[in-house]
Amino acid sequence: MHHPTCLKIGPPRGRRRSTFLFVYAVAVFGFSAHMFSETALAAGAEMGEKIYQKHCVSCHGAEGWGVADVNDKPLHGDKPFEELVQVIEETMPEEHPELCVGKDAKKVARYLYDNFYTAAARSKQQASRIQLSRLTVRQYRNAIADLLASFGGSAALKEKRGLRGQYFDSRGFQPKQRRIDRVDPEVRFDFGEAAPAAEQFDASRFSIRWEGSVLAEETGEYEFIVRTEHAARLWVNDEKKMLIDAWVKSGDDNEYRGSVFLLGGRAYPLRLEFTKAKQGVDDSKKGQKPKPVRASIALAWKPPRKSDEVIPQRNLLPQRTPRVFALAAPFPADDGSSGYERGTSVSKRWDEAATYGAIEVANYVVDHLQELAGCRGETTADEPRLREFCRRFAARAFGRPLEEPQQRFFVQQSFAMAADLPSAVKTTVLLVLKSPRFLYPGLASAGEENANGGVDSYAAASRLSFGLWDSLPDDTLLDAAEHDALKTPKQIARQAERMLKDPRAKSKIRYFLQHWLQLDEKEKIAKDASLFPNFDDALASDLRTSLDLFLDDVVWSDASDYRNLFLADYLYMNERLAAFYGVDLPAGAGFRKVSFQDGQRAGIVTHPYLLATFAYHNLSSPIHRGVFITRRLLGRTLSPPPQATEFKEGDFEPHMTTREKIALLTQPVACNTCHSVINPLGFSLEHYDAVGRYREKEQSKVINAVSPYTTAGGGIVELQGAEGLARFIANSEQAHGASVDQLFHQAVKQPINAFGPDVRQNLIHGFKASDYNIRRLLVEIMKASVPFASVPH
Amino acid sequence: MSLKNRREFIRDLGLSSAVAPLLLGLPGLANAAVAEKRRQRLIIMFSPNGVVPGAFWPEEVGETFEFKEIMAPLQPYKNKTLVLNGVSDLVRGDGDSHMRGMSCLLTGTELFPGNIQGGSHTPAGWASGISIDQELKNFFQSRPETQTRFGSLEFGVSVPDRADPWTRMVYAGANKPVAPIDDPYQMFEKLYGRMQDQKMLSSILDRVREDLRKVREVVGREDKQLLEEHETFVRQMEQELKADKRRAAAGASPALEAGVKNTNDNMPRTSKMQIDLLVNSMANDMARLATLQYTNSVGQARMGWLDIADGHHSLSHKPDSETESQEKLIKINKWFCEQLLYLVEKLDKTPEPNGTGSLLDNTTVVWTNELGKGNSHTLHDIPFVLVGNGLDFKMGRSLRYRHTEHNRLLLAFAHGMGHHLETFGNPNFCRDGVLNDLT
């Protein structure tokens, strides 16, 4: 545990007797000692470059890329510096190695080494250019879903929530016996021994069908749960195959589960059927009246990272939406080392995963030809229609019309070679989905037939759709591209504004927020059960919902004001949360806004979910909280601690407060550079214990939440508790810049400085001018990123 | 496809060449490494609604006996046949005789109370225990030397698309009925789909590389590298598929007649296709246990091809005195026996891979039924006709028991396959142990 590579600070897991704490040191953003040595070296490096230009460039080319027909081997390698010097001294320039020896060899080696020879140097250089990128996993799944939806149909989601419930006075679902047709907010009923309505029903044999759609907010595996003492069956996203088949009631089972993989931000068709009547042979006409029995039913689910709950009204729609193709095939995780997921590397596993994905889609397409292409491919008369389908499929996937050679390559060849029509379609689908034109959306502006490399409207459409939706362009975008109407900032802005209203944009912003706030890292929060007896999985799950609702509320309100993320004085609470956090909440179901007038709550920094996440199982953790705020909210960098230090409660006097312990622990000078930043931020939140409950005292000592914080500029700010901290973050220019960076990177998946030196600053100014409107910022990001060629030359 | 299935599907598609033969169930290198033991197999074939006893049971007991009309087609395999008369399904409890006949047949245990009402008796749910084929599958799959890709395969012919105790005889456990696959094309996909996919994949990979090369021409230098790297993975996959293909040549899939709709009238064709697939899957060692379920308990097959317009179940209710109906029932049961014959012949003609003799030398086929007799709904004298030498029973005999618990026969299947259970199903029916006189 003391190993210095334990750098990623995360809250401690589980319940250990002693907990660990990583004490940070050295190098806050822009530390100066380093700068000094750099200047001293500058002269030498300049010399190195001059030598390179004189003796090397004719064979090795600019930046070591080689020269066509002379030497096409790039000057890249992994030899240690000394060895590189030696090679140069002894062999370079070819035939005249005596021209470059001694200091000169060292200088030129240094130049190579720092600029392009090593992988590290190259990646540093690349950080500032737009790199060709493959689809991220999220983009791949969304693109596949939307590609198929463009043939199978999609529907705009309406406002109305709940499920359509039809109640029948019969054991089956005879339309004439329908007694009730209404929208139920959720499925959680206990009918007792009675019927759903007094007189119209035979209480021993009624049936109910609920229909509509279920809206998934996150991507992952969802477990659906039906609880009933009677018979039920459930379909989710597949009308042909039941997810739960409990139509045969057997034994004491009264809970049924089925799992399905769903993509976040999309609605899936759902149908639930229930019957209280016996099935099989209808003997109701003979024999005596059956004994009265109870009947109840509930439809619940367990979404990723949450515990099981009755599916809430906000996730149910009475409208039936078309099926979504949700590709569950596992992919290796995308490279997140730059702070955001991007597709700038490929691997064998990724190639295999993408291949399996393609096969799965191809099989699906062939199995659903009627639905997708309008014919089954059983007779030759179907051929023209299927060719047209293939052409459209390829064009959709590539985000632009096919030119003649591509039509031959992707469509005609398949039909010429395949044994039958479905195989031809399958071949095209595989070929298209394995094509770099689909897998690297940035290539949209390239193509051998369009080698000018300029950005046309189709490339702009792709940038917009991947930027705001992580998916392929829709009809409207493609239509605009066809009319070349994605050229001016105004046109881009108009499209972006339209696109922000789509659930896919909502999903993307949620994804951004989750990454930003590190909500995607933890599966579970566990707390000491003896100290916090009611803090269980269900409560933690509710906290998460509460935070999600809050974030949605801020982002999607009219003002969409970033500052409200910190300054809002309310939380979403349901009855369970209210009881736990000691808030009076009028009885009633569901989450509601609760305002705190007494300065106890200020936006996300005081949200109990985050406070509990960044805490120990038994104690608050000013360091975890401080590090989170430093890095994520204020955008300052921290170096890893020079030594790992163990935080053992036993090392301290028992009467000390957490603040006192941390101050003592981080007292050494080596710790001070970082902890003068981290600690004050964390101490401001000392009014909140390990579960985020407000407290006035710890260990019978009054909490001191005031502390002096050293800003990046070196100034000192006296932070006055949580509210002061929140106000400080909301108004911090550095925090604004950090948010701009984060949002830009998650949207565009390219480094912001690759789009020009002024883009970042302009966006920050615009952000301020728009009163920190988050959605407006996204529109501006699109304007700033779309006009650039996605394929650099 | 559920997530789990899909994941399995994907995982199984693994192209790593070392595991491919094993996954494909081919007699490949991986299997050769393990000292090969004899591959014992058990196939249980089901036909419904009881039989016509007078035209079914041989009159003689012992090694000298004559087949009656229904079993006459089996004549060429008489010395490999064992007829067991007097074995009874004594399981009682909820559910009517058809339901219990079906769902207790291979489980030997009671049905749970439930909501499915039969023509008589109390309503019931699913069986409360595992079926013998699944028990043996689990046993085989738990040991490396008997492990196969699927363990067991559940074939059906014209099984209605309905799940209830009348349509399910295979149980993975209490309340876990397993649906048979009655569409030969669906079964083909399950068995050989991956091979088809790989074939198609290898046919397009050179074009994928061509596409990558074309695109590479128009991107900048730094980005070229990424595409080159991508291409090396495509090339690797191409080579791995080629290696797989060479190894896969031995496990050719059977050619199926195309475009056969899964309807009542096509039963003779789908039956043949399913048997072809079954024998092929066994030859490729994809499974060592299989069930083949014709229709269902209370099944209403209309055998127009035998000039019988009535539904099978309706006919089975007719009294013994109605000679015309009895004649039709004899024809129907004889048709089932012909299906058994086709299966047995096919096993007999297929050489045992990696061994000597034929598949039939190591396979026992059990033909059974949920009732003894249709019009009485009796669960006594359940038909059990065994053909082949998978269980090392002494064949070429006709035996007679009296109201003997069928659990003891299920136990004998287990012992014959090397799984020495003390009891199976309801232990009260196993007091006398493994059924006597079989070996």
Side-chain angles (χ1 to χ4, degrees), chain A residues 197-236:
Chain A
E199 278 149 29
Q200 303 169 302
F201 286 92
D202 175 350
S204 72
R205 53 194 315 270
F206 59 91
S207 56
I208 311 170
R209 174 187 292 137
W210 286 280
E211 272 178 298
S213 306
V214 60
L215 183 65
E217 282 160 343
E218 316 237 349
T219 296
E221 201 170 332
Y222 284 73
E223 193 173 26
F224 284 81
I225 303 148
V226 174
R227 294 192 179 95
T228 181
E229 324 73 347
H230 295 277
R233 50 193 175 197
L234 175 72
W235 293 259
V236 178

Side-chain angles (χ1 to χ4, degrees), chain A residues 206-352:
Chain A
F206 59 91
S207 56
I208 311 170
R209 174 187 292 137
W210 286 280
E211 272 178 298
S213 306
V214 60
L215 183 65
E217 282 160 343
E218 316 237 349
T219 296
E221 201 170 332
Y222 284 73
E223 193 173 26
F224 284 81
I225 303 148
V226 174
R227 294 192 179 95
T228 181
E229 324 73 347
H230 295 277
R233 50 193 175 197
L234 175 72
W235 293 259
V236 178
N237 201 30
D238 189 343
E239 291 197 25
K240 294 204 180 98
K241 200 167 172 244
M242 279 178 243
L243 184 64
I244 290 172
D245 180 0
W247 208 239
V248 174
K249 159 70 185 169
S250 181
D252 297 331
D253 283 7
N254 54 16
E255 184 178 288
Y256 307 93
R257 289 167 181 263
S259 287
V260 59
F261 184 86
L262 302 176
L263 302 177
R266 292 169 190 270
Y268 301 82
L270 173 147
R271 176 152 57 106
L272 171 65
E273 292 182 347
F274 162 89
T275 186
K276 195 180 174 183
K278 282 191 292 187
Q279 300 298 302
V281 176
D282 186 356
D283 66 347
S284 58
K285 297 283 189 294
K286 56 186 177 187
Q288 70 276 54
K289 267 237 169 285
K291 267 202 319 230
V293 287
R294 299 184 64 84
S296 70
I297 181 160
L299 174 62
W301 68 354
K302 190 196 166 308
R305 294 198 183 88
K306 289 197 179 174
S307 60
D308 86 54
E309 59 180 5
V310 170
I311 304 179
Q313 183 177 16
R314 63 179 182 279
N315 294 95
L316 297 171
L317 291 85
Q319 79 185 103
R320 272 184 79 78
T321 53
R323 181 176 178 181
V324 177
F325 185 88
L327 185 77
F331 272 74
D334 293 315
D335 179 357
S337 62
S338 329
Y340 56 97
E341 289 169 333
R342 52 190 315 215
T344 44
S345 64
V346 291
S347 65
K348 187 172 159 67
R349 265 190 71 205
W350 171 78
D351 181 51
E352 282 184 5

Side-chain angles (χ1 to χ4, degrees), chain A residues 16-163:
Chain A
R16 283 189 216 112
R17 290 213 44 190
S18 63
T19 38
F20 295 93
L21 169 93
F22 303 106
V23 184
Y24 276 68
V26 198
V28 181
F29 191 41
F31 194 60
S32 57
H34 191 224
M35 305 281 289
F36 171 73
S37 51
E38 251 170 44
T39 354
L41 286 167
E46 211 171 286
M47 277 298 292
E49 189 177 357
K50 275 190 185 148
I51 298 166
Y52 183 82
Q53 295 299 344
K54 194 171 164 193
H55 295 302
C56 321
V57 78
S58 58
C59 292
H60 288 294
E63 293 180 348
W65 280 110
V67 173
D69 301 329
V70 178
N71 171 20
D72 56 2
K73 226 177 123 206
L75 187 43
H76 300 160
D78 50 12
K79 285 190 171 60
F81 178 71
E82 285 70 24
E83 212 176 301
L84 187 64
V85 174
Q86 199 185 341
V87 171
I88 294 169
E89 284 205 308
E90 291 171 6
T91 68
M92 289 286 142
E94 246 173 31
E95 291 170 25
H96 297 287
E98 73 282 0
L99 290 180
C100 183
V101 291
K103 273 188 185 165
D104 282 356
K106 252 189 197 148
K107 278 176 191 158
V108 77
R110 174 55 60 196
Y111 168 73
L112 300 182
Y113 209 79
D114 291 350
N115 286 281
F116 49 79
Y117 178 75
T118 63
R122 286 197 301 281
S123 89
K124 214 158 100 191
Q125 298 289 340
Q126 282 182 343
S128 60
R129 75 178 185 88
I130 299 173
Q131 276 179 268
L132 181 65
S133 303
R134 60 164 173 79
L135 296 169
T136 62
V137 177
R138 181 182 149 81
Q139 289 173 339
Y140 186 90
R141 291 201 169 116
N142 276 315
I144 294 281
D146 284 332
L147 178 57
L148 290 171
S150 71
F151 297 95
S154 54
L157 303 187
K158 296 179 188 135
E159 292 286 321
K160 185 121 178 121
R161 290 294 181 267
L163 286 178

Side-chain angles (χ1 to χ4, degrees), chain A residues 178-195:
Chain A
R178 190 176 74 190
R179 300 283 182 254
I180 301 175
D181 184 2
R182 68 185 184 204
V183 171
D184 288 322
E186 55 181 24
V187 179
R188 172 172 17 198
F189 294 97
D190 186 348
F191 302 112
E193 291 175 358

Side-chain angles (χ1 to χ4, degrees), chain B residues 44 67-68 84 95 102 173 197 199 237 281 300 322 358 363:
Chain B
I44 298 170
F67 281 137
K68 290 290 181 90
L84 305 176
M102 187 70 175
D197 286 340
K199 218 163 113 188
M237 187 179 284
S281 68
Q300 283 286 28
E322 265 190 39
S358 73
T363 307

Side-chain angles (χ1 to χ4, degrees), chain B residues 247-351:
Chain B
R247 231 171 271 130
S253 52
L256 289 191
E257 194 181 343
V260 178
K261 291 254 177 347
N262 191 11
T263 59
N264 173 76
D265 291 352
N266 274 333
M267 260 177 84
R269 291 157 94 188
T270 51
S271 169
K272 178 178 177 299
M273 291 160 87
Q274 292 288 65
I275 291 172
D276 289 349
L277 286 168
L278 199 168
V279 175
N280 193 274
S281 68
M282 295 244 155
N284 283 330
D285 205 23
M286 292 179 176
R288 306 225 177 137
L289 292 134
T291 46
L292 174 60
Q293 176 184 330
Y294 285 85
T295 73
N296 59 301
S297 169
V298 203
Q300 283 286 28
R302 286 170 201 278
M303 302 205 174
W305 57 93
L306 302 178
D307 294 321
I308 299 171
D310 324 54
H312 182 191
H313 176 246
S314 311
L315 275 174
S316 75
H317 272 235
K318 303 283 184 198
D320 292 352
S321 55
E322 265 190 39
T323 351
E324 201 188 329
S325 301
Q326 296 308 317
E327 283 307 316
K328 287 178 182 170
L329 284 170
I330 291 171
K331 276 166 89 175
I332 289 171
N333 279 292
K334 192 172 171 186
W335 184 82
F336 285 125
C337 188
E338 284 161 6
Q339 309 312 301
L340 172 65
L341 175 68
Y342 181 70
L343 170 60
V344 168
E345 273 179 338
K346 191 119 192 160
L347 289 166
D348 189 30
K349 284 179 192 152
T350 307

Side-chain angles (χ1 to χ4, degrees), chain A residues 62 65 76 126 129-132 221 231 238 241 245 247-251 253 259 261 277-281 283 286 326-330 344-348 350-352 355-356 359-360 363 409-410 413-414 417 423 426-427 430-431 434-437 439-440 443 446-448 451 791-793, chain B residues 1-7 9-11 13-16 96 111-119 121 123-127 163-166 175 189 193 196-198 200-201 203-205 207-208 210-212 214-215 218-227 229-230 233-234 236-237 240 261:
Chain A
W65 280 110
H76 300 160
Q126 282 182 343
R129 75 178 185 88
I130 299 173
Q131 276 179 268
L132 181 65
E221 201 170 332
D238 189 343
K241 200 167 172 244
D245 180 0
W247 208 239
V248 174
K249 159 70 185 169
S250 181
D253 283 7
S259 287
F261 184 86
K278 282 191 292 187
Q279 300 298 302
V281 176
D283 66 347
K286 56 186 177 187
L327 185 77
T344 44
S345 64
V346 291
S347 65
K348 187 172 159 67
W350 171 78
D351 181 51
E352 282 184 5
T355 305
Y356 305 146
I359 290 174
E360 208 174 326
N363 285 329
F409 186 84
F410 288 102
Q413 274 194 42
S414 305
M417 285 157 57
S423 311
K426 201 166 166 179
T427 309
L430 277 178
L431 206 53
K434 289 280 292 162
S435 171
R437 295 163 212 269
L439 294 170
Y440 299 80
L443 286 172
E448 68 276 27
V791 177
H793 278 264
Chain B
M1 212 186 273
S2 76
L3 176 65
K4 204 174 159 219
N5 289 342
R6 219 184 252 168
R7 285 238 172 100
F9 168 71
I10 293 305
R11 205 187 317 115
L13 247 170
L15 296 166
S16 156
D96 72 6
L111 307 188
F112 282 119
N115 68 337
I116 304 297
Q117 178 63 55
H121 295 78
W126 300 119
D164 54 40
W166 293 296
N175 271 340
E189 192 61 32
Q196 304 294 104
D197 286 340
Q198 293 199 357
M200 175 160 287
L201 190 60
S203 77
I204 64 145
L205 287 182
R207 288 165 76 195
V208 170
E210 185 185 335
D211 194 22
L212 271 162
K214 272 192 233 162
V215 166
V218 296
V219 303
R221 252 191 326 233
E222 297 103 318
D223 292 331
K224 255 197 187 93
Q225 279 197 315
L226 186 66
L227 294 176
E229 206 184 334
H230 185 164
F233 299 130
V234 177
Q236 276 179 29
M237 187 179 284
E240 285 170 6
K261 291 254 177 347

